[in-house]
Amino acid sequence: MTEFNQDTHILRNFFLHIPLFRSLGGAPTEMEELIRSSEMRMVRRGEFLFRRGDASDRIYIVHSGEIGIYQGEKLIALQRRGSICGEVSLLSGSGHSSSARAMFDCSVVVIPGESFVRLIESVPSVGRELIRILSERFRGTLDAPADLHPGRICSVSYPEQEERSGRMVFSLALAVREEGQRVVILTLNESSPLIFEKDRNLIEQLQGPESGRSSDLPVILNLEPLLVDGQEEQLRLNLHDLLSGLRRTFDLVLVDLANRPSPAAQAMLDDADESLVFYRKERPAASAGRAIRETNADRRQKPGELPVFQGWRLDPVVNGATRRLARQLLQSSRGLCLGGGGARALAHAGCLDVFEQEGLEFDAVSGSSMGAVIGALYALQLPAKEIRKLIGRYLFHSDAILDKRLPFVSFFGGHRLADLLRSVFRGIRIEDMPLPFFCNAADLKSGQMVMFDSGWLDFALRCTVSLPGIYPPVEWNGRTLVDGSVMNNLPGEILRQNGLSHVVGINVSPVADPLSARTGVNRREGLKGVYRFVNLPPILKIVNRSISVANRELLKFRLNDFDFLLNPDVGSFDLFDFHRQREILHAGYEEANRQLNGLREALRLPAGEQRNGTARGSG
């Protein structure tokens, strides 16, 4: 901490306006003694007032800014202007039970412990007020939510055309509103259309009580007229207080910045949790913030791009890409994990159909085995109808992916499967896909799981579908890779590790599986049953079922990876029943519809959220 210039007038005025010391207006001697013993200090963002276990010999009162109280890494309280910190440890004579860290640049009043205790003894009204404050704080902890989530701050600039940043901010704010979250826009950009008189009047009209759309529009605050020349440090503190207050009310604070440097703009950049810099032609320097290229709205999204451009004088379109960015800023991104199960994994496509109809969007995908194949199609942002069409074209029967060989390593050679994957996914690299995508494989040599998050997509999928006994392992970089389901058939933890806040899993490994347990010919099928017994011998299903049973037991220990788990009823389908795809798709469709309300609750979505039920292949 660095000392901040004391000002007796500021301290006296501050003390008289906070409840703890208000009664000192009638005790001038004690007030003067308090002022003499107190000092004002500046605490920089991220700096600690004290840490858990530190000795306590003083108290702190927040003059401006915001102090976070932490138990370990968990934020448990926010102390703002007039709040007192460290008093319980001082009065109990123990070390601090928590840590206090500045959320912004702050100013605090530091009062030595001896002076504070003498004041309580000499002015009983101060002691009574302290008891009231402590009682209210204790009662507040009983009613407090389990997790404290103050709103986040994001600055936005568009150096190539300053006017454009205001339009971008407004579209982002609308996307946040579509997610059911609260957002406020601060503009420090005199070129922004948000502060032009005619545009501001239009916004005020739309937000008026007579407008049915008022709840859909963000709040806009123009700070330009308020930032008159003055003391730079005081300006920063005032802005910190403003942001602290806004974070209590709003889930996201979007700041529209001009490209010209100013003390106010620098203060906003310093306080922002994330800074976005948009461009169309020349990529800005990495130090400026997270660079995002605005591309035409009809283009498919690539990493680092936002396909929302309709024209310089038109607002960016609000589409799936805009909403995904909004969820990233809100730290509420959603991941989808699809488990393997052979033909049963086609049920995933039925679930995707419901998600699309209901406007449920996901921001990253992981999968294992055949679930990874369906997940890859979704990560390419193909509409559900197109996914079903591809399934019908390429996976119409098990013969499409099974080519017999001498069963020394596996029963089937895997050449048809590899050809199919190349036909669908040729030339696509995982790192270039519209959505982040992950699939796993198991290395027989090391016994470790291998996760693919880059490289050629068709190769990664060939590795993750190498079911032992059915397809041969893939030799790669000194590894011998088999199906990812051998180690984890539902790899949701990779989504958590990559920052996804909510993860939904779809499990297609049934609890009971009498078909896989059958060891003889199905006599009811006659010659067809004999043919299936010879061409798809029970050993294949027995091996796969054994892996599946082990994975279901392991899944019990991985349930914390998921906010919600769907289990389509696929127990009546065989591992190789690709010819029954219509029935399997329907099983997924039925499960997703049945669990829709629970899924919405787990994702914290408003009931009945739907965006016209339109497919979003380009979003």
Side-chain angles (χ1 to χ4, degrees), residues 129 193 272 307 432 509 521 584:
E129 182 61 26
D432 294 333
S509 293
V521 175
I584 300 174

Side-chain angles (χ1 to χ4, degrees), residues 2 41 77 97 134 208 219 253 268 273 293 305 357 383 386 418 440 471 553 559:
T2 56
R41 291 188 183 179
S97 60
L134 294 176
V219 177
V253 180
M268 289 294 187
D273 297 292
R293 185 184 181 196
E305 293 185 352
Q357 291 174 16
E386 184 66 23
N440 63 346
Y471 294 119
E553 289 302 306
L559 291 177

Side-chain angles (χ1 to χ4, degrees), residues 372-417:
V373 176
I374 305 299
L377 296 172
Y378 182 82
L380 289 170
Q381 288 291 274
L382 297 181
K385 182 178 180 180
E386 184 66 23
I387 294 175
R388 292 196 309 273
K389 186 184 297 185
L390 288 170
I391 289 172
R393 178 180 176 184
Y394 290 101
L395 293 172
F396 55 89
H397 196 278
S398 60
D399 288 346
I401 56 173
L402 300 177
D403 47 342
K404 287 186 178 180
R405 62 180 291 174
L406 290 176
F408 297 122
V409 177
S410 62
F411 274 82
F412 304 99
H415 301 297
R416 290 182 183 175
L417 175 64

Side-chain angles (χ1 to χ4, degrees), residues 12-249:
R12 180 180 290 106
N13 187 61
F14 175 63
F15 287 150
L16 289 174
H17 283 83
I18 62 175
L20 181 61
F21 298 135
R22 191 174 294 156
S23 61
L24 294 182
T29 302
E30 286 78 4
M31 171 65 84
E32 293 306 314
E33 174 61 28
L34 176 64
I35 292 173
R36 280 195 298 271
S37 63
S38 302
E39 64 175 329
M40 190 90 78
R41 291 188 183 179
M42 175 66 70
V43 190
R44 296 301 179 187
R45 179 177 183 174
E47 191 176 350
F48 282 88
L49 280 179
F50 52 80
R51 297 177 185 268
R52 183 175 182 177
D54 288 352
S56 176
D57 60 358
R58 66 198 71 183
I59 68 167
Y60 305 88
I61 302 177
V62 182
H63 179 260
S64 68
E66 187 175 68
I67 300 293
I69 308 298
Y70 289 83
Q71 287 284 3
E73 296 297 319
K74 183 180 180 180
L75 179 65
I76 60 172
L78 288 170
Q79 306 291 10
R80 300 178 174 94
R81 181 176 174 85
S83 298
I84 183 172
C85 305
E87 75 289 352
V88 174
S89 300
L90 173 70
L91 296 176
S92 65
S94 59
H96 289 291
S97 60
S98 56
S99 300
R101 187 172 68 189
M103 308 298 284
F104 306 107
D105 288 354
C106 302
S107 61
V108 297
V109 178
V110 184
I111 304 175
E114 292 181 357
S115 300
F116 184 62
V117 171
R118 283 199 306 270
L119 179 63
I120 294 174
E121 293 173 346
S122 60
V123 184
S125 60
V126 174
R128 289 194 297 270
E129 182 61 26
L130 180 61
I131 292 172
R132 186 192 66 78
I133 292 172
L134 294 176
S135 299
E136 286 190 354
R137 185 175 297 175
F138 176 72
R139 187 165 57 246
T141 60
L142 297 179
D143 300 331
D147 293 305
L148 190 62
H149 296 291
R152 303 187 78 243
I153 302 167
C154 175
S155 69
V156 177
S157 60
Y158 209 126
E160 291 178 353
Q161 188 169 353
E162 290 186 345
E163 181 268 349
R164 189 75 182 157
S165 69
R167 296 186 183 278
M168 186 64 72
V169 162
F170 193 71
S171 291
L172 270 175
L174 292 178
V176 172
R177 295 291 295 157
E178 285 193 12
E179 293 299 313
Q181 304 299 303
R182 299 161 299 176
V183 61
V184 60
I185 296 173
L186 305 182
T187 179
L188 293 170
N189 180 3
E190 63 183 11
S191 300
S192 175
L194 300 178
I195 61 174
F196 293 160
E197 189 65 32
K198 61 177 182 179
D199 292 335
R200 185 169 68 248
N201 288 341
L202 175 61
I203 290 167
E204 289 171 353
Q205 292 172 20
L206 289 172
Q207 290 180 321
E210 72 281 359
S211 171
R213 294 185 57 211
S214 60
S215 62
D216 295 328
L217 288 166
V219 177
I220 301 171
L221 300 178
N222 176 21
L223 300 187
E224 276 289 321
L226 306 179
L227 302 179
V228 296
D229 292 336
Q231 187 180 10
E232 181 176 331
E233 196 62 55
Q234 188 59 48
L235 171 64
R236 291 177 63 89
L237 293 176
N238 290 341
L239 288 175
H240 297 329
D241 282 341
L242 172 65
L243 292 174
S244 174
L246 291 175
R247 293 204 313 159
R248 280 178 276 177
T249 304

